[in-house]
Amino acid sequence: MSSGSPIRVLPTPPRVVVPLRQHIGAPPEPVAGPKTLVSFGQKLGECRAFVSAPVHSPLSGTVERHTTLTLPTGIRTVAVPVSASGDNLSGRALLDEILGGDWDYERIKDVDPDEIAARVQDAGIVGLGGATFPTHVKLISAREKGVELLIVNGCECEPYLTADHRMMLEAARAVLCGALLAARACGGAGIAVAVEDNKLDAVRALEREAAGTGIRVVTVKTKYPMGGERELVPAVTGRLIPSGGLPLDVGVVVINVGTAAAIARAVLRGGALTHRVVTVTGAVHQPGNLLAPIGAACRDLLDFCGGIKPDAARIVAGGPMMGFALADLDTPLTKGTSGLVVLRREDVEREAETECIRCARCVDVCPTGLVPTKIALAARNELWDRAEKLHASDCIECGCCAYVCPARIPLVQLIKVAKARLAEIRRTAAERP
Amino acid sequence: MNNAPGKENTPLAQAPTLSVGPSPHMVSRDLSTRRMMADVIIALLPVIVVSFYIFRWFAIYHLLLAVITCVSVEALSMRLLRRPPTIQDGSAVVTGLIFALSLPGTAPWYVNLIGAAAGIFLGKVVFGGLGQNIFNPAMVGRAFVMIAFPAAMGASGYVSQSTGVDILTSATPLTALKQMGQGTSLMHLLMGDTNGSLGETSALACLVGGFYLCARGTASWRIPAGVLLAVTIISSAAYLIHPTPHWTPLHHLSAGALLLGAFFIATDPVTSPVTRKGRWTFGIGIGTLVMLIRYLSGYPEGVMFSVLLMNSAAPLVDRLTVPLPLGGSPGKRKP
Ligand code: SF4
Ligand code: SF4
């Protein structure tokens, strides 16, 4: 729906509210108190832990009193409001600063590989595909373990989202620069950009820019959840990630295209991660892809897209399969928000749940090869060792099973409960001497 | 929640009420329990049409009686148990149709009535309703009347095609084989102008409906594939050892309730396993049991018993065939 619309820049909002804890790992400490004047890209939150990332101001302006809020993911965090001053970059200038302009491959050779991870951490870069895992941790462990291949994930993580697609079309060079830098940081891995076969224009754009760099552009089948690492790595390399393992275990590291572009900007231009591209789609009047400051209210993005249509019934941060429903339109955009999908009443309406008729559609569709119906049953009856035997912890929460279930059983929720419970059991078992 | 308080001039001011809920936020529209049951009924149409043609009013009245009985018994039981009504899911209609199609045309009305009621009540309601039952309700009903009224369950005749009124008495193809060593031509087995239960006579009708069901994904193709595979292998082996030109493996495949059973009875999702390997196992098990019963027992046909036996094994089969997750290795212990 929005793949044909070029990235537009959201006009600078009068105020942003930047949550400090947006990623997996330790929450950063606030470093800019109320009434401080901050400039574009200045740190608002700093972290001491290794698995964490700082947070920066997307605007020049004045810090207001800190607040606490709950993100749609259920994470509670301190947030720093900043009201904009009059001298912020906007429009074309901002787009050029972040994605556009000249990206020179020559300069990459001069970058000290040991410095890249530190710069990435300092710029607050986390996985922009939605996972929000701090990227420097990935790069450092990749370097320690040694990887052969860096895959740049150009598959949209969910249906309806087009932010990565536009990024590859409009900022292919920035993405490839970031990939070259990331590979350099990992100790010189080969690079493959994986793109779904419904985005051949992106493949062409990337191939044009990749000429002479040794970067391969690989097309993979368009099939949700191809954007997941567990699906993507085998599709590109033929290697299966072992159950409970990471791509690192098969010598691969995966980064998202948005993350790659952010790395390029951090290392070559010294810019922090302050903006991201977000797809706004569904029941809005002008769906599109926006470059928006992290911390902007979802309401600002929806308004800029012409507002929601009268039959809108739910707004989801992320995609329709794994995203989180917004309870408040003032919820700020975070680093992991790849889209805002406005669903209509008929999309979200459900018939009442009925008994499982054991039709096995969930089994046939599960990309991980699980038996969702039985895990859900075990979770309902609180039979945790049964859930363990059914490999509940391997579930990637893609939602495919609940999507096809004719009995409308909340399979994913039940499986998530089982996963959480099993993780807890494992934790207590590990603590016991 | 009601959004946009105090922001009257934004387009969001006229926005509707928004809801929150867990992911996934969309579901596939064309899948629902009702839709699946409707599919089964559509797939049964060729079989029903042939049974109308071969058995005339016997077929019409048995089908009607069984469906009405099944639906009313289910409605009544739910009422008495003070449980929410369940007949709208359509599964009672399917049970009624399949039960009737497994009856001989000459069965008396009370056999139908008692069997259909027993099928729904003993086969489904006492287990807690659709999804909880272990045995295929239609087969439970049939087993019940088979034991209660063995004499009435012999298929003794069908309506003559030439006059449309006269009843031709004859043995079913499998009984003729068992008792007199008589064959039946493949053409008759295919088209269905033989004696037998209402829905089993035409192999062609079962195949057409069965393919539709598998193509829609409503029935798992692995189950009928398993049944047919086992029957083909066993009957071919037997044929090679002891050739019987009047009764080839093809006869075994197309005679009796085999195809009706493989495509419509064994594929009842509730009472079959859910794993891929489990479904193969289930199908192969049924096919093997059918052949054992046909060759070794006093009964000419054994689809019903085979299905019921494998139904009881389904939970075990599921447990033994839990697939390895993507990237999992056998015997791997998680930390
Ligand atoms: S898809 Fe739903 S009804 Fe079918 S087996 Fe799975 S949980 Fe049961
Ligand atoms: S959410 Fe469902 S389909 Fe997806 S991995 Fe988990 S069990 Fe399988």
Side-chain angles (χ1 to χ4, degrees):
Chain A
M1 208 181 321
S2 51
S3 66
S5 59
I7 299 172
R8 289 179 289 162
V9 181
L10 183 74
T12 313
R15 183 172 182 263
V16 293
V17 180
V18 185
L20 288 184
R21 187 171 170 199
Q22 304 187 19
H23 49 259
I24 295 176
E29 300 292 324
V31 291
K35 303 212 177 90
T36 338
L37 290 178
V38 288
S39 54
F40 172 50
Q42 187 178 329
K43 268 185 197 153
L44 296 177
E46 174 66 288
C47 54
R48 245 144 247 118
F50 175 56
V51 185
S52 187
V55 174
H56 304 75
S57 175
L59 304 173
S60 308
T62 317
V63 175
E64 294 174 10
R65 203 151 62 84
H66 299 178
T67 58
T68 338
L69 49 83
T70 306
L71 297 176
T73 46
I75 291 176
R76 245 187 118 59
T77 169
V78 174
V80 183
V82 180
S83 57
S85 60
D87 56 348
N88 276 294
L89 276 184
S90 62
R92 189 76 229 174
L94 184 67
L95 190 66
D96 277 347
E97 162 66 25
I98 291 176
L99 296 174
D102 184 35
W103 297 98
D104 189 358
Y105 291 147
E106 290 306 311
R107 286 183 52 203
I108 292 171
K109 282 205 249 4
D110 307 330
V111 178
D112 178 359
D114 297 326
E115 252 179 41
I116 297 174
R119 293 235 207 135
V120 164
Q121 175 170 25
D122 211 45
I125 299 176
V126 300
L128 295 187
T132 66
F133 187 75
T135 303
H136 66 277
V137 181
K138 229 183 212 180
L139 296 180
I140 291 171
S141 28
R143 185 185 187 119
E144 280 165 4
K145 278 197 99 166
V147 292
E148 295 155 36
L149 184 66
L150 173 96
I151 300 180
V152 180
N153 185 354
C155 305
E156 294 298 345
C157 38
E158 294 228 22
Y160 287 0
L161 302 187
T162 54
D164 291 346
H165 187 179
R166 291 312 305 182
M167 199 78 165
M168 292 186 285
L169 282 177
E170 296 177 43
R173 208 158 164 104
V175 170
L176 297 183
C177 260
L180 290 166
L181 286 162
R184 200 168 160 81
C186 303
I191 301 172
V193 188
V195 186
E196 285 162 306
D197 57 11
N198 64 348
K199 304 179 180 49
L200 294 178
D201 48 351
V203 173
R204 278 191 298 274
L206 289 164
E207 272 171 350
R208 209 169 32 241
E209 298 295 339
T213 57
I215 296 176
R216 277 190 302 142
V217 181
V218 186
T219 21
V220 294
K221 233 177 42 205
T222 309
K223 181 170 179 279
Y224 177 77
M226 190 50 97
E229 294 181 340
R230 254 166 211 287
E231 302 297 308
L232 183 67
V233 171
V236 175
T237 63
R239 286 178 231 166
L240 279 179
I241 303 175
S243 152
L246 291 170
L248 273 186
D249 298 328
V250 291
V252 176
V253 62
V254 183
I255 61 172
N256 165 272
V257 291
T259 315
I263 294 174
R265 177 161 180 258
V267 178
L268 299 180
R269 296 186 180 170
L273 177 62
T274 54
H275 288 69
R276 68 157 298 146
V277 180
V278 188
T279 304
V280 181
T281 187
V284 287
H285 290 284
Q286 297 144 27
N289 303 288
L290 306 184
L291 180 72
I294 287 156
C298 292
R299 181 194 302 280
D300 293 340
L301 279 79
L302 295 168
D303 277 352
F304 183 66
C305 289
I308 57 178
K309 292 190 181 162
D311 59 345
R314 184 176 297 175
I315 299 171
V316 177
M321 297 299 281
M322 294 176 75
F324 297 90
L326 294 184
D328 181 355
L329 291 179
D330 289 320
T331 304
L333 199 68
T334 62
K335 294 177 182 176
T337 314
S338 40
L340 289 180
V341 181
V342 183
L343 297 170
R344 294 162 306 164
R345 211 164 305 128
E346 60 199 88
D347 296 324
V348 296
E349 248 163 20
R350 298 281 182 282
E351 299 99 281
E353 179 188 341
T354 51
E355 287 290 341
C356 168
I357 51 166
R358 300 168 45 82
C359 66
R361 284 183 195 257
C362 55
V363 184
D364 291 336
V365 81
C366 175
T368 318
L370 305 178
V371 190
T373 165
K374 304 208 116 195
I375 304 176
L377 194 68
R380 259 203 184 132
N381 297 328
E382 309 195 349
L383 298 169
W384 307 120
D385 49 334
R386 172 81 51 84
E388 169 85 47
K389 283 202 193 94
L390 292 163
H391 313 286
S393 310
D394 283 288
C395 168
I396 58 168
E397 301 178 14
C398 65
C400 292
C401 49
Y403 180 79
V404 297
C405 176
R408 305 288 180 243
I409 296 172
L411 292 164
V412 187
Q413 268 165 290
L414 288 163
I415 298 171
K416 278 186 190 168
V417 170
K419 281 179 71 174
R421 198 55 213 149
L422 288 176
E424 201 177 298
I425 292 171
R426 264 196 292 277
R427 234 182 349 260
T428 35
E431 275 161 18
R432 228 177 290 131
Chain B
M1 77 172 225
N2 218 329
N3 74 74
K7 279 224 172 182
E8 285 73 19
N9 38 12
T10 70
L12 287 175
Q14 311 108 38
T17 306
L18 297 182
S19 68
V20 292
S23 67
H25 302 283
M26 295 198 312
V27 292
S28 172
R29 286 282 136 206
D30 62 329
L31 300 174
S32 68
T33 305
R34 279 176 69 124
R35 170 72 228 203
M36 292 185 68
M37 295 300 166
D39 261 347
V40 180
I41 296 172
I42 294 170
L44 278 171
L45 284 178
V47 179
I48 293 173
V49 168
V50 171
S51 78
F52 282 174
Y53 182 69
I54 310 277
F55 297 95
R56 307 287 158 119
W57 27 272
F58 287 112
I60 297 174
Y61 108 85
H62 273 307
L63 281 160
L64 277 179
L65 182 61
V67 168
I68 293 170
T69 310
C70 284
V71 173
S72 348
V73 170
E74 180 159 315
L76 205 67
S77 319
M78 288 300 153
R79 197 65 176 274
L80 292 179
L81 293 169
R82 290 176 211 284
R83 298 249 303 265
T86 50
I87 48 170
Q88 67 280 5
D89 66 21
S91 62
V93 177
V94 169
T95 301
L97 289 176
I98 292 189
F99 172 72
L101 290 171
S102 76
L103 284 182
T106 47
W109 62 270
Y110 55 87
V111 167
N112 183 329
L113 189 85
I114 293 172
I120 288 289
F121 191 76
L122 297 179
K124 192 163 154 196
V125 175
V126 295
F127 287 97
L130 182 68
Q132 308 290 327
N133 48 312
I134 294 175
F135 298 104
N136 184 321
M139 290 301 101
V140 170
R142 192 172 192 275
F144 189 83
V145 289
M146 187 102 160
I147 293 161
F149 312 101
M153 287 299 284
S156 56
Y158 63 109
V159 179
S160 157
Q161 298 316 306
S162 44
T163 65
V165 193
D166 300 336
I167 295 181
L168 301 179
T169 43
S170 75
T172 68
L174 281 169
T175 313
L177 176 74
K178 187 117 219 163
Q179 293 174 351
M180 296 160 270
Q182 247 171 41
T184 307
S185 91
L186 272 177
M187 202 55 199
H188 284 307
L189 293 178
L190 211 57
M191 301 314 294
D193 47 345
T194 65
N195 194 7
S197 300
L198 293 175
E200 72 179 29
T201 59
S202 166
L204 195 61
C206 291
L207 283 175
V208 170
F211 281 139
Y212 169 79
L213 215 51
C214 293
R216 282 279 309 167
T218 296
S220 163
W221 60 270
R222 294 183 177 86
I223 294 172
V227 175
L228 301 188
L229 185 77
V231 170
T232 310
I233 291 177
I234 296 173
S235 59
S236 305
Y239 189 76
L240 286 180
I241 296 165
H242 180 65
T244 43
H246 63 288
W247 203 263
T248 64
L250 267 182
H251 286 83
H252 265 303
L253 284 170
S254 38
L258 190 85
L259 290 174
L260 185 74
F263 283 104
F264 292 98
I265 304 177
T267 54
D268 167 28
V270 176
T271 55
S272 55
V274 293
T275 63
R276 291 183 178 87
K277 271 191 211 155
R279 294 177 157 203
W280 277 111
T281 314
F282 184 78
I284 291 172
I286 290 179
T288 311
L289 286 171
V290 168
M291 293 316 289
L292 288 179
I293 294 174
R294 281 189 184 174
Y295 282 127
L296 305 177
S297 81
Y299 288 102
E301 175 60 308
V303 170
M304 176 191 81
F305 286 124
S306 310
V307 170
L308 287 173
L309 262 170
M310 288 309 292
N311 281 165
S312 68
L316 182 69
V317 169
D318 259 343
R319 194 163 304 182
L320 296 180
T321 56
V322 173
L324 275 178
L326 193 68
S329 52
K332 179 171 175 292
R333 277 250 150 266
K334 297 227 182 74

